[in-house]
Amino acid sequence: MAADRTDPVVGTPHGAVRGRYERGIAVFRGIPYAAPPFGPRRFRPPEPPDPWDGVRDATAFGPTAPKPPYSEAFARYLSDPEIPGDECLNLNVWTPQPDPGARLPVLVWIHGGALTRGSSAVPVYDGSAFARDGVVCVSLNYRLGVEGYGLFPDAPPNAGLRDQFAALRWVHEAIAAFGGDPDRITLCGQSAGAISAGALLAAPQTRGLIRRAVLQSGPPEASDRDKVRRVVRRMAARLKIPATAEAFAAVDRDLLLRAQAEAGRLSGPVLGGPAFGLVVDGDLVPRDPLRALLDGAAPGVELLTGWTRDEYRLWLVPGGLHERVDRIGPVALAGAMARCRVGPEVPRGYRALRPDAGAAETVGQMVTDHLLRVPLHRLADARPGSSYLYEFAWPSNLPGLGACHALELGFVFGTGDLPEARKLAGENAPRALRDAMHAAWVRFATTGNPGWQAWDDSHPVRVFDGGVPYTAYGSLDEAMALWTTASQVPEPAPGGTVRAPGAELAAAVRRLRRSVGALRR
């Protein structure tokens, strides 16, 4: 019987690890892929871990990266375990067959969380269902917030992305011993994890490491350097220190997290306030990842991308902003115009397409299209025949959430029965939908085809809702067309002020941000 098996032991590039069998699946947790990023390594690129003698226990999740907790409002919906310790650059492996001869497809998961929260220890990301269905599943931790994405004059940028790259190289070198095929790696991520996966896919250094990629609710993109730098400067002002890596490295981690939480209080997809993000660095990110992929980077890599129908509801509902936005509709629309850098013809177009929608839905869908659907459509247009698009449309059983951001994760991983998945989906989520969506991801990781028509001029999008999944053709074409002729408001000035047309719009945006700040305090 599986329960009577001897615990599995596998060799890695730095030493042997012992996992355990769980319901017939060999599970290894907390394997270090890089050295602890603290002390002299703080704010520096990852380095290999020190090798160890004997067999290292790998039965428990390793430490998570330092991060502030979710607010009480968001913690009602999202779980985010915190495990203390310095060795936070670790990963986990679920495999049905820890045998070098198995050569099974591999799925590497990068978690989301706005690059400031999340970890591989979130129960919803349990990889057992993938392993049960013949896919080796790997999940990883990486540095978050200012530790991973602060922009300093005396340290290389994108430390967290460099962590992910180090983990990907570890997988390519070590996964065969766990039964995986290093030539069949699917890189997969959601939200900030998808943005990260897109950047890695576009990076010249990953050529030959990635066979397929899945981008869930996150496009390839790079952030404005001045925007990221402003967060660091705000933190430095609060801490009364220079905005340098050397000065930040001398600050206690908990104090740094408190300063980070305060400095990023107004950040978010709708407002577009200060936030951490990947930046063009001339090295791992030599240019904007979306532009690189549109120009032909990562040739031959199959791509699965998609979104949830009501992404914006998770951004607005927990803090009560959904109701506040509906009450101040004109201000919300002004803020969305500034966020999307478009003139008034775009929101007018959305109102014409959805005349019964309230201000919150108009704002939410417009910003969602700007952030997600427009760039993912462009990406598919540039890679016809090897791109597959989907929409997750089943609405949560909890009031107000709809088919919101992150709702699909319990379906993809087949973990919908867990309490942590029910926090977002509610009770009695449809099992058939979970089976269908998980099976599509398994097929894609195994064959490169999730089971529906590849992108072409008919614009097929697979829709996952409460019934049998179906393919819709051109369902978003009218909304996408609004962006092809939109008059663009100029980019933010170097100092960070949006040069929007007219003082009225700028004042409206300021009022909206003050309102949201009051909600979050």
Side-chain angles (χ1 to χ4, degrees), residues 3-18:
D4 298 328
R5 292 196 220 180
T6 303
D7 289 339
V9 175
V10 172
T12 79
H14 308 106
V17 293
R18 176 182 290 108

Side-chain angles (χ1 to χ4, degrees), residues 13-41:
H14 308 106
V17 293
R18 176 182 290 108
R20 66 185 177 197
Y21 282 100
E22 299 177 3
R23 299 183 299 279
I25 302 301
V27 185
F28 302 81
R29 297 183 174 94
I31 304 173
Y33 66 83
F38 301 108
R41 301 188 185 96

Side-chain angles (χ1 to χ4, degrees), residues 239-265:
L239 295 166
K240 297 180 171 57
I241 61 173
T244 64
E246 181 181 15
F248 272 59
V251 177
D252 174 78
R253 287 181 223 170
D254 290 338
L255 180 58
L256 203 60
L257 288 177
R258 289 196 293 273
Q260 176 182 304
E262 284 296 312
R265 190 154 43 91

Side-chain angles (χ1 to χ4, degrees), residues 284-325:
L284 191 58
V285 189
R287 57 187 300 212
D288 179 81
L290 178 59
R291 174 49 56 191
L293 291 169
L294 293 177
D295 288 345
V301 176
E302 292 110 348
L303 192 60
L304 172 60
T305 68
W307 51 80
T308 68
R309 179 167 291 176
D310 306 311
E311 297 272 2
Y312 69 95
R313 287 182 176 270
L314 186 65
W315 308 332
L316 298 183
V317 169
L321 182 57
H322 189 274
E323 291 80 5
R324 180 72 64 91
V325 166

Side-chain angles (χ1 to χ4, degrees), residues 108-130:
V108 177
W109 173 252
I110 304 178
H111 70 79
L115 299 178
T116 58
R117 294 176 175 86
S119 79
S120 65
V122 173
V124 175
Y125 306 153
D126 185 285
S128 297
F130 279 108

